[in-house]
């Protein structure tokens, strides 16, 4: 029966033949629709997004309206992601050893894929360094997993220390990617292949156990051997210091060790680690991974356990290419600075441990230099006046030569300091030989992290948005300290910003010490802001102790010294007082260095006070601490606080908020050094809001060659295609991507703009980028310019795409026009649109006569679809639909294998143009052929995850809906879920528009469909 049905559909396609008016077009070849596979060999459509899913039954004759039709039965299946089609039982397959046999050594099938992790086959294994930021691949995973990684980091449970890991899974079986396996890598520079192997082994064992105990059938039925496949990034390579080869080998060894442990524990009959793919977004690194894997398989012991059948790089979705190699701009370089004995002379020295250039650089300074540096520090921080000479001298004295050489790079920097090296004003340093003239702390981010063995193991943090702000405590009864109007103004500014962002604020401005101490412990504060006088080792008079009762001699008076914020007469808010707080704030801002009247002949050591307070707060578990290292200018400090809080409250990362605040002060107040006074401790990725936000894009440096811009545009196109649809944020996300295009173009040197934009390759890249954002007018303009350019190369496909975008633009105009009154002006505009469509049809027909491809023939069929839509009379509309069906038939016939991507539109147009008075042979077999197409689309998506393969499942299901007279009530919701799952993996505005245009076409031209079918179509469209 299946064979006969296939022949009927083949005959229907052949009968469509070449459209009558285009006898010179390429002859149609027969399209073979594959026979419906036997039950138990293909994945279930309800879980098509998971490569380890169950299989479905494609048998014909399902009752009309069956909600589970066509795929219901669940049986174990092995979908081979390397083969491009559903796997069939193979006695010689790599995974043939019986898992019950003690001697059987598990074999892992491996591969290398160049693509985006959004369409990874399996949960993605990624590494995280201690104290690092959720950036790059982790950020993408966090966005796709609804902020799960950020939430765990906010709770302090995120892996970072060596040997730690965390497992995350998508909310449903259709999620892309299916999950994330985050492994802790320790400090940057400390990772070694052995450590990576161990943490990968332990993580995969835990992951496999979770799979074996999964409560539902997401990873296969409970009574079968479940697959614990994993997609691995090149963990530890790049900035981590390991080579790609070391990373690949360590991950392989870890996976093999995990497989052995599972077998030894008798779990081989429940779960097996049988697939491992190395996933890399950049083509050059994917090639490096393939070469590393090839080298690893030269080891006979590894080769006996690992099967790499294809031995080539597989093309995934969203892969990018680059013509220059540079570190990701959002990665913060680590530089450890510790003070220790220099050795023979017993003096002190600074030791720098940097992970720059993928190597460790250790440099010590002589003791005499440090003593001399202290005098320069005292001179530079004596006032708020800018002293660039002192800052530049300290730069030369404190930094070793290697780090001075790297300074022009001005990358974001995290300083890992101890309690003694923290006293140095690293933020103030300036490079005398800098080309930009910008200090390193201004040109790039610079934050600190403290190395301390003393810490509160389980700090409790506040979760509600509450803040405690202290400004200018009342010291009128103590003439040692004067009034600080600048502190009062700063506190009022911060209070206003916090309240404007829905924070509950307890303010203590000009308050007594009792009120301040009471307020400190009154509630759980998320933010603590202190502005006032500060002292370090301030002498405090103590009452003389009583005379000795035995001899009558008076005891010697003992002087006491206090450090902290002055909150009353001889009353201080010390680190010890803060230590008593039950709830630890997340952010503490200490500005106890305002300019004001301070009595005493000894200059206050503000830098030591800042270090002392920061150490105590960090030991408590505060996530971010800002402390001023010396007296700051009042107006400059207001500017810093306003910019910092504005950015942080808007959701910006701590490190970037600090950088922007410093830069603003440096620009607005060039005569003061306040920009360098703030010592900022914490994770650069800390933020007050958990919700993911888009960072402000970094300013681009000018391009040096048009090839750079072309490559960036091509990568941007892939990024747009991987964009996760966020519902209400769609318009904003599309606008941001269009702004990205403008930003890239703006980086062309002014002298080269006209010449570069006249190049065919650059104009074509711009046109394609605009097209992906669904700005078809811009796309057509640039592609036309590319076709007419005198310089540069332009592919022939640009001609077809230009016409395709022009047709889509006409469709958008008609969609808006058809709702207007049917008067003379509307008809004139409709006629103009018809002329544009026909011009594109003529051009596409000419191209297809010369060099027909599946893509060009389908584009020509799509043009005839819009031509049909623009007709007013049914006869003319039907004639255009017949043309459309003919070209789609040619596209299907030209495909190397039956295409689930183009079949549903062909089937739909056949149904829309059928003669309702009679039933043709092809109609009887069409439902079963659509079942077969659905199963092929499911299998293709399992083997090659992509938006096109995913949406093909939903499109064929929708076409199947058209064959029914009374759809089951569950049919429309199921199709809606399939479309949403397809979009959830990532899709550009153009791809989403294509999906919706298919539904709009069926609704607009489906007047003859049964009313229940039309209602179901309307329900599906409304939900999307």
């Amino acid at each position: 029966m299946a064979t006969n049905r296939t022949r009927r559909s083949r005959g229907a396609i052949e009968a469509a033949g070449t459209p009558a008016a285009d006898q010179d077009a390429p002859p149609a070849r027969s399209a073979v629709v594959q026979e419906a596979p036997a039950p138990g060999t293909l994945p279930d459509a309800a879980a098509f997004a998971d490569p380890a899913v169950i299989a479905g039954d494609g048998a014909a004759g399902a009752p009309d309206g069956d909600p589970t039709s066509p795929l219901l039965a669940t049986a174990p299946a092995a979908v081979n992601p390397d083969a491009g089609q559903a796997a069939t039982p193979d006695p010689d397959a790599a995974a043939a050893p019986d898992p019950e046999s003690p001697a059987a050594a598990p074999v892992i099938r491996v591969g290398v894929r160049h693509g985006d992790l959004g369409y990874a086959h399996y949960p993605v294994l990624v590494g995280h360094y201690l104290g690092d930021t959720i950036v790059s691949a982790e950020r993408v995973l966090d966005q796709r997993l609804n902020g799960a990684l950020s939430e765990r980091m906010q709770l302090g449970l995120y892996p970072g220390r060596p040997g730690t890991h965390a497992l995350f899974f998508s909310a449903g079986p259709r999620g892309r990617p299916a999950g994330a396996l985050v492994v802790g890598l320790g400090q940057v520079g400390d990772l070694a292949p052995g450590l990576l192997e161990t943490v990968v082994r332990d993580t995969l064992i835990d992951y496999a156990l979770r799979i074996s105990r999964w409560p539902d059938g997401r990873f296969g039925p409970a009574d079968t051997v479940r697959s614990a496949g994993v997609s691995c990034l090149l963990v530890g390579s790049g900035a981590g210091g390991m080579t790609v080869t070391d990373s690949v080998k360590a991950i392989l060894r870890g996976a093999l060790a995990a497989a052995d442990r599972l077998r030894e524990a008798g779990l081989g009959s429940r779960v097996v680690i049988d697939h491992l793919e190395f996933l890399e977004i950049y083509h050059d690194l994917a090639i490096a991974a393939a070469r590393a894997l090839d080298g690893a398989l030269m080891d006979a012991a590894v080769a006996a356990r690992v099967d790499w059948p294809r031995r080539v790089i597989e093309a995934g979705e969203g892969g990018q290419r680059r013509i220059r190699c540079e570190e990701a701009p959002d990665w913060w370089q680590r530089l450890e600075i510790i003070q220790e004995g220099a050795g023979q002379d017993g003096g002190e020295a600074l030791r720098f441990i940097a992970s720059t250039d993928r190597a460790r650089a250790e440099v010590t300074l002589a003791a005499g230099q440090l003593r001399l540096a202290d005098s320069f520090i005292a001179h530079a921080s004596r006032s708020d006046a800018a002293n660039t000479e002192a800052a530049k001298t300290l730069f030369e004295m404190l930094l070793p030569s290697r780090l001075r050489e790297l300074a022009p790079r001005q990358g974001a920097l995290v300083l890992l300091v101890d309690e003694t090296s923290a006293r140095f004003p690293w933020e103030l340093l300036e490079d005398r030989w800098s080309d930009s003239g910008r200090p390193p702390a201004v040109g790039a981010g610079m934050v600190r992290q403290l190395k301390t063995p003393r810490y509160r193991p389980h700090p409790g943090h506040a979760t509600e948005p509450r803040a405690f702000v202290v400004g200018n405590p009342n010291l009128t009864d103590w003439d040692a300290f004067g009034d600080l109007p600048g502190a009062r103004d700063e506190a009022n500014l911060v209070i206003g910003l916090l309240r404007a962002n829905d924070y509950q604020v307890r303010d203590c401005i000009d308050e007594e010490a009792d009120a301040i101490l009471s307020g400190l412990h009154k509630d759980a504060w998320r933010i603590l802001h202190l502005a006032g006088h500060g002292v370090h080792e301030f002498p405090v008079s103590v009452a003389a102790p009583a005379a000795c009762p035995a001899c009558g001699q008076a005891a010697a008076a003992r002087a006491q010294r206090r450090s902290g914020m002055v909150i009353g007469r001889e009353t201080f808010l010390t680190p010890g007082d803060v230590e008593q707080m039950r709830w630890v704030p997340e952010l503490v801002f200490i500005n106890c260095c305002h300019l004001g009247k301070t009595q005493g002949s000894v200059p206050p050591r503000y830098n030591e006070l800042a270090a002392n307070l920061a150490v105590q707060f960090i030991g408590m578990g505060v996530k971010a601490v800002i402390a001023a290292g010396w007296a700051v200018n009042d107006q400059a400090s207001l500017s810093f606080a306003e910019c910092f809080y504005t950015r942080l409250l808007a959701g910006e990362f701590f490190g970037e908020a600090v950088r922007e605040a410093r830069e603003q002060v440096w620009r607005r107040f060039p005569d003061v050094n306040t920009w360098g006074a703030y010592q900022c401790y914490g994770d650069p990725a800390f933020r007050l809001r958990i919700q993911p936000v888009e960072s402000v894009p970094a300013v681009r440096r000018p391009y040096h060659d048009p090839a750079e811009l072309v490559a960036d545009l091509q990568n941007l196109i892939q990024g747009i295609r991987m964009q996760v649809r966020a519902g209400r944020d769609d318009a904003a996300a599309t606008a941001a991507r269009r702004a990205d295009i403008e930003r890239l173009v703006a980086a062309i040197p002014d002298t080269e703009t006209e010449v570069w934009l006249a190049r065919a390759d650059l104009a074509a890249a711009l046109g394609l980028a605009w097209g992906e954002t669904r700005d078809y007018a811009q796309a057509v303009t640039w592609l036309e310019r590319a076709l007419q350019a005198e310089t540069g190369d332009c592919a022939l496909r640009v001609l077809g795409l230009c016409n395709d975008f022009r047709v889509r633009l006409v469709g958008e105009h008609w969609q808006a026009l058809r709702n207007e009154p049917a008067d003379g002006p509307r008809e004139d505009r409709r006629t103009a649109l018809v002329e544009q469509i026909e011009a594109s049809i003529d051009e596409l027909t000419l191209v297809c006569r010369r060099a027909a491809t599946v893509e060009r023939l389908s584009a020509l069929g799509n043009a005839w679809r819009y031509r049909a839509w623009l007709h007013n009379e049914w006869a003319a509309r039907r004639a255009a639909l017949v043309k459309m069906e003919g070209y789609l038939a040619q596209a299907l016939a030209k495909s190397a294998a039956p295409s689930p991507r183009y079949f549903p539109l062909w089937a739909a147009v056949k149904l829309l143009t059928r003669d309702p008075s009679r039933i043709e042979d092809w109609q009887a077999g069409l439902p079963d052929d659509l079942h077969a197409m659905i199963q092929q689309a499911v299998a293709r998506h399992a083997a090659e995850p992509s938006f096109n393969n995913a949406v093909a499942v939903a499109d064929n299901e929708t076409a199947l809906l058209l064959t029914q007279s009374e759809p089951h009530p569950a049919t429309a919701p199921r199709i809606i879920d399939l479309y949403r799952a397809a979009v959830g993996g990532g899709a550009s505005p153009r791809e989403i528009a294509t999906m919706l245009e298919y539904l709009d076409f069926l609704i607009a031209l489906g007047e003859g469909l049964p009313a229940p079918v039309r209602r179901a179509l309307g329900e599906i469209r409304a939900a999307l």
Side-chain angles (χ1 to χ4, degrees), residues 123 194 335 347 496 524 642 722 736 837 962 1003:
L335 176 63
E642 181 178 22
M722 297 298 104
I837 286 280
L962 305 182
I1003 293 171

Side-chain angles (χ1 to χ4, degrees), residues 750-932:
D750 294 338
T751 57
E752 304 298 322
T753 301
E754 184 177 349
V755 175
W756 286 19
L757 293 181
R759 292 178 56 92
D761 52 352
L762 184 50
L766 279 167
L768 296 178
W770 284 115
E772 288 300 327
T773 67
R774 202 184 172 183
D775 190 334
Y776 299 137
Q778 284 271 31
V780 170
T781 298
W782 283 104
L783 293 182
E784 286 282 8
R785 188 177 297 187
L787 292 168
Q788 298 171 15
E790 299 288 347
T791 59
D793 297 326
C794 180
L796 179 60
R797 67 186 297 264
V798 169
L799 179 60
L801 289 172
C802 181
N803 283 284
D804 184 49
F805 289 152
R806 185 182 292 112
V807 168
R808 292 170 183 266
L809 183 60
V810 169
E812 288 188 346
H813 289 163
W814 175 239
Q815 188 79 304
L817 184 62
R818 62 198 296 261
N819 296 322
E820 296 184 8
D823 53 15
R826 176 181 181 274
E827 180 59 23
D828 291 341
R829 281 183 286 172
R830 188 194 70 84
T831 301
L833 294 178
V834 169
E835 291 175 355
Q836 294 178 39
I837 286 280
E838 290 180 342
S840 292
I841 287 175
D842 291 342
E843 201 160 89
L844 286 169
T845 300
L846 183 63
V847 173
C848 286
R849 286 173 179 168
R850 179 65 181 86
T853 64
V854 173
E855 183 182 66
R856 292 168 192 155
L857 287 167
S858 63
L860 185 52
N862 189 55
W864 277 107
R865 174 174 62 167
Y866 282 101
R867 183 67 183 88
W869 203 356
L870 284 163
H871 275 303
N872 292 326
E873 301 80 16
W874 169 245
R877 175 176 291 179
R878 187 180 186 282
L881 290 175
V882 170
K883 290 276 193 179
M884 171 188 172
E885 184 267 330
Y887 284 112
L888 291 176
Q890 291 186 58
L892 286 168
K894 198 171 185 63
S895 301
S899 174
R901 179 181 175 185
Y902 301 111
F903 190 85
L905 188 55
W906 172 86
V909 74
K910 287 289 288 185
L911 290 169
L912 294 176
T913 57
R914 73 184 188 277
D915 184 351
S917 64
R918 62 191 183 91
I919 298 179
E920 301 180 37
D921 289 344
W922 61 267
Q923 289 180 252
L926 187 59
D928 296 324
D929 292 329
L930 285 167
H931 283 306

Side-chain angles (χ1 to χ4, degrees), residues 387 727 743 767:
N387 189 337
R743 181 172 57 88

Side-chain angles (χ1 to χ4, degrees), residues 464-467 495-505 649 689:
E464 298 297 321
R466 296 191 178 97
I495 289 168
L497 291 171
L498 291 172
R499 285 178 175 163
N501 285 271
D502 299 325
Y503 267 74
Q504 301 174 36
V505 183
L649 291 169
R689 289 188 174 181

Side-chain angles (χ1 to χ4, degrees), residues 202 436 516 712 771:
D202 295 345
S436 67
I516 295 173
D712 281 352

Side-chain angles (χ1 to χ4, degrees), residues 323-352:
I323 59 176
R324 61 186 184 278
C325 181
E326 56 188 21
E327 288 184 357
D330 49 3
W331 189 80
W332 290 65
Q333 181 67 52
R334 264 59 180 175
L335 176 63
E336 184 177 354
I337 310 173
I338 55 178
Q339 186 166 324
E340 58 183 29
Q344 296 179 352
D345 60 2
E348 293 181 333
L350 290 177
R351 181 177 295 275
F352 294 81

